[in-house]
Amino acid sequence: MMERTVTARPDADAAGSLSSLVERQATGVAQSHRIAARLRERIVAGTLKPGAHLSEAALSEELDVSRNTLREAFRVLAKEGILNHEVNRGVFVSIPSTQTIVDVYRVRRLVQCAALAQGYAGHPGAVRMRAALQEAERCRGIGDWLGVGSADIAYHAAIVELADSPRLSAFFGQVLLELRLVFGLLPNAEHLHAPFVDRNRAILGLLEDGRSTEAAQALETYLGQAERLILSAYSPLSK
């Protein structure tokens, strides 16, 4: 009995190649988004400051990724306004303008005060506020003002969680990235953060006492004062 030779169909080969290509592209996109997330974490931690130059060669080696993957991560963050690409100079962490600072604080007042006004003691967001406050106080005690700034970011993210809106929290994450860049503009982190650690404790105390409306009013005053402090410190730096 003669054996038949089975030849793969061209359309099957093409479909397999296309599937493989799509899979590789999806893997590459996922990896670039992971790298973008790691760079965001460095910005939130304050280790990447406004105006910092990002060396493609050094980062691709440090993060163990291809330059193409890193460039895609750069593009993701550039769309978010976190990075800037300057022709013939490279990629830099964005430097917030005065207008950006004013807008960030406008959004903070609209979002955070409303979220705090509907909060209550025992809410998971309130629990995270307390944990962030304790971390800020610990960092203050050892003079780690960069750590105080990171804890402050976590505290204010937790305030937005009181709104029980994952979409709002995701949106506010972008605002907090820009806020960390604003913090990074100022050379004296202690001068920036020292007045507000105890204010954070007072606001949390009002919330835990069931006085959420008063807590929201206190936060609005707090944000106005923080904005004025940052703008007054930033003005000489921008000249």
Side-chain angles (χ1 to χ4, degrees):
M1 184 175 180
M2 296 181 61
E3 294 183 358
R4 291 188 300 172
T5 300
V6 179
T7 303
R9 293 181 301 169
D11 57 342
D13 290 341
S17 298
L18 179 59
S19 175
S20 178
L21 175 62
V22 170
E23 184 176 345
R24 288 197 302 273
Q25 288 176 335
T27 300
V29 169
Q31 188 175 29
S32 65
H33 280 275
R34 283 195 296 272
I35 297 302
R38 290 179 66 177
L39 294 175
R40 286 191 201 95
E41 288 169 2
R42 294 186 183 190
I43 290 170
V44 170
T47 55
L48 277 180
K49 295 185 177 297
H53 176 249
L54 301 185
S55 168
E56 189 177 287
L59 272 175
S60 62
E61 181 177 353
E62 177 191 345
L63 300 173
D64 193 26
V65 294
S66 71
R67 292 199 181 190
N68 284 339
T69 296
L70 186 61
R71 287 172 191 147
E72 182 56 35
F74 285 167
R75 280 192 285 270
V76 169
L77 295 176
K79 286 180 181 178
E80 296 174 2
I82 303 303
L83 299 182
N84 284 326
H85 180 266
E86 299 183 18
V87 178
N88 298 326
R89 294 195 64 222
V91 177
F92 296 82
V93 179
S94 296
I95 299 176
S97 65
T98 300
Q99 291 81 3
T100 296
I101 296 169
V102 170
D103 195 39
V104 163
Y105 274 86
R106 179 185 297 117
V107 171
R108 291 188 70 186
R109 281 189 287 270
L110 287 169
V111 173
Q112 289 190 261
C113 294
L116 190 57
Q118 70 179 52
Y120 56 89
H123 187 285
V127 173
R128 280 187 275 274
M129 286 172 66
R130 175 158 291 281
L133 174 64
Q134 291 171 343
E135 176 63 10
E137 291 174 335
R138 185 192 70 80
C139 290
R140 179 179 62 178
I142 60 175
D144 178 9
W145 293 102
L146 196 62
V148 172
S150 296
D152 184 72
I153 293 285
Y155 177 92
H156 289 282
I159 287 177
V160 178
E161 292 178 21
L162 296 170
D164 291 318
S165 170
R167 290 176 178 82
L168 191 58
S169 292
F171 159 76
F172 200 71
Q174 174 68 24
V175 176
L176 291 177
L177 270 174
E178 295 184 277
L179 180 63
R180 175 49 108 171
L181 292 179
V182 169
F183 287 172
L185 290 170
L186 306 185
N188 190 334
E190 181 178 357
H191 176 69
L192 172 63
H193 296 300
F196 295 101
V197 177
D198 291 333
R199 300 280 293 279
N200 283 341
R201 173 168 287 282
I203 288 169
L204 177 59
L206 289 170
L207 177 65
E208 291 179 334
D209 287 344
R211 299 156 66 187
S212 57
T213 300
E214 292 177 57
Q217 292 168 347
L219 178 61
E220 185 165 8
T221 301
Y222 165 118
L223 292 174
Q225 292 175 343
E227 179 183 13
R228 288 192 294 274
L229 185 154
I230 289 170
L231 288 173
S232 64
Y234 180 57
S235 295
L237 299 175
S238 60
K239 293 178 181 177

